[in-house]
Amino acid sequence: MTGFDQISCQRADSAPAADPPAADAVRVALAAEFASRWPADATGLDAVHRYALIPSGKLLRPLLVAHSALALGGDLRQVLPAAIGFECAHVGSLLHDDIIDRDATRRGQPAVHAAFGLEQAIIAGNALYFSWFTALADCQKRGASDRQIAAALDIQARAGVETCRGAADELAMAGDLDGGIAAYMEMARRKTAVLLSAACRVGAILADATTEQAALLSVFGEHLGLAFQIRDDLLPYSNDHDLGNKPGDSDIRNRRPTLPILLALEATDSSTCRTLRRVLLTEADHHKAHRQLRALLERTGAISRARAIADRHAAQAQEAISELPPGPHTKALNDLTVTHATVAGPTPSGR
Amino acid sequence: MTGFDQISCQRADSAPAADPPAADAVRVALAAEFASRWPADATGLDAVHRYALIPSGKLLRPLLVAHSALALGGDLRQVLPAAIGFECAHVGSLLHDDIIDRDATRRGQPAVHAAFGLEQAIIAGNALYFSWFTALADCQKRGASDRQIAAALDIQARAGVETCRGAADELAMAGDLDGGIAAYMEMARRKTAVLLSAACRVGAILADATTEQAALLSVFGEHLGLAFQIRDDLLPYSNDHDLGNKPGDSDIRNRRPTLPILLALEATDSSTCRTLRRVLLTEADHHKAHRQLRALLERTGAISRARAIADRHAAQAQEAISELPPGPHTKALNDLTVTHATVAGPTPSGR
């Protein structure tokens, strides 16, 4: 039985319609798992989690876990808890990021710390981090082996630490425009790409991937993550950035040397550099800073160059999975790359 | 080879002295493991962790992991990473607790958020939580099996979530004197006892305990944890509380209904109740509140009653391990109970 057949069976219980595309079926299964774990009558900490998790974002990480596993013949029901777990890890980090970045809005509603208070947001974020691991343990009840669980634990735990190192790097880099592009890329890898890569690798482990398949999916996730982070950096400078749910000026307000800014500093004359530094580091009116930076970054070609780098990573991601068995789930992974990591794709709504 | 013999071998490498007592040998091994993981030249996030972890506190949780395993014939070298991991989990929670409780001092030095900033303290706490799981994964490199790792993961992850639920309960109970003693005990179980119980159970799992042995150690840890938490509640009212490194008035400043206060409310006349409520909930001068509460709690017998409840849990803890194989490590677990959970023991320095 292939992964796709299993999804069809799964889906048939609740919907008698014709087989939906693989990606839709996975989304339906994920939504059902979220709703059963955080029901509408949730109270206390569970209610805070429901507020943060439902309605969900784009579910990139759970989709990566599920499609990575299914592309290699894994069992959707068995990997669903691990997939949900990766969303817990991601949303846990958002709860804490919003405190650190002083962002009061998330996904079009007050951020958790704004709605429930700083203390609750810290605790709820921590509980989501631990839920990443209880969710992995839940896969065992659905047939995952000790060996799979132990291997996935190692990946998740190390990815968790790396993500924290990325957050610490980002904090240390705020207001520092001299760190260089290599340091930025390492920060982006830790902060964003490692978790996406781990999602793919955990999916692979739960499908008993070969060493080579697991490595290809890890490489895929890492390049996807880098492309995705650079695209996120470009968001404040896109034409329709006001449509996003995350305030577009968070990076500017936090004086972050994002990739387009570092590219502009590298490639421009000293007078333009001075202007860039002044605007990013000292302009108190963030909306004014935003307008000025956008004009500068466009004029110096930094936006085009950042787009090209993102596209290169997206292409490398697609190349990695081109060696996987072809099928609807390998195609779904490719589609996720197009949607979330190439600049030509639709505008994302929030990270 | 018994656990004690193994420790002797371990110890013999570095110190040619006569065999030290089992507890001393474990402490030496723990200190060496801490020093090798967080060396003096640590930078970035590692330096923050070193600041928080070294010099260490009383290492109750690592000692519980190690002695639980060794009491059942486990291998010290194999369980050491897991033991260190439990201190990471504990100290991670302290970093966040100090933010939540607005405590500026910890173990006689500025708390991490006071020394490094709120943002770093949130990130460093998270990284310590994840290190709890990387440390468990490290046990595999020292010979622990997939089955042991998967079983221990389940215990750790669920304990992590429960600890967060306890922290959320405690937050919700602040300023509420009508919650009752049963709700308090459930909060204390989640907040403190579950992690101590998990430490014992993970030690048992790593030593291939029988189901019955693992259950006895879990029960031991839970009663020890309850006694320990009640003793912590009593700390501000002990005669030498100023000697502690943690400010004795944190619970009062945060208007917490700790056990002695709930016992006093339950047992006293309505006029004394009104005074207690007024002092805890409205007295702005916390030192004055502290003096008044102490007098009231002594007069109503609440302190003696809380002590008796702590002693009962300590006795239940000791009873649970009385069924384990006798030896130096079962004795060490008993000694930890006397030191940390009976009111007659020495004054603890910080949680």
Side-chain angles (χ1 to χ4, degrees), chain A residues 46 96 102 119 122-123 126-127 129-130 133-134 137-138 146-147 149-150 153-154 157-158 160-161 164-165 171, chain B residues 46 96 102 119 122-123 126-127 129-130 133-134 137-138 146-147 149-150 153-154 157-158 160 164-165 171:
Chain A
D46 295 312
H96 289 183
R102 294 173 172 73
E119 296 86 351
I122 291 175
I123 295 167
N126 292 340
Y129 283 143
F130 292 128
F133 294 91
T134 58
D138 287 344
D146 287 329
R147 190 181 48 72
I149 299 294
L153 158 67
D154 192 56
R158 288 179 211 293
V161 172
C164 294
R165 290 194 189 279
L171 199 61
Chain B
D46 295 312
H96 289 184
R102 295 173 170 73
E119 296 85 352
I122 292 175
I123 296 167
N126 292 340
Y129 283 143
F130 292 127
F133 294 90
T134 58
D138 287 344
D146 287 328
R147 191 180 48 72
I149 298 294
L153 159 67
D154 192 56
R158 288 178 212 293
C164 293
R165 289 193 189 281
L171 199 61

Side-chain angles (χ1 to χ4, degrees), chain A residues 185-209:
Chain A
M185 292 302 290
E186 175 60 7
M187 181 280 291
R189 190 189 68 78
R190 288 171 154 179
K191 185 187 119 183
T192 304
V194 164
L195 191 65
L196 270 59
S197 180
C200 297
R201 188 175 271 270
V202 166
I205 288 169
L206 292 175
D208 276 332

Side-chain angles (χ1 to χ4, degrees), chain A residues 4 7-8 11 18-28 67 328-329 331-332 335:
Chain A
F4 189 57
I7 288 179
S8 305
R11 170 81 177 156
D19 278 354
D24 289 353
V26 171
R27 280 179 194 279
V28 168
H67 289 301
H329 297 287
K331 180 179 179 304
D335 291 348

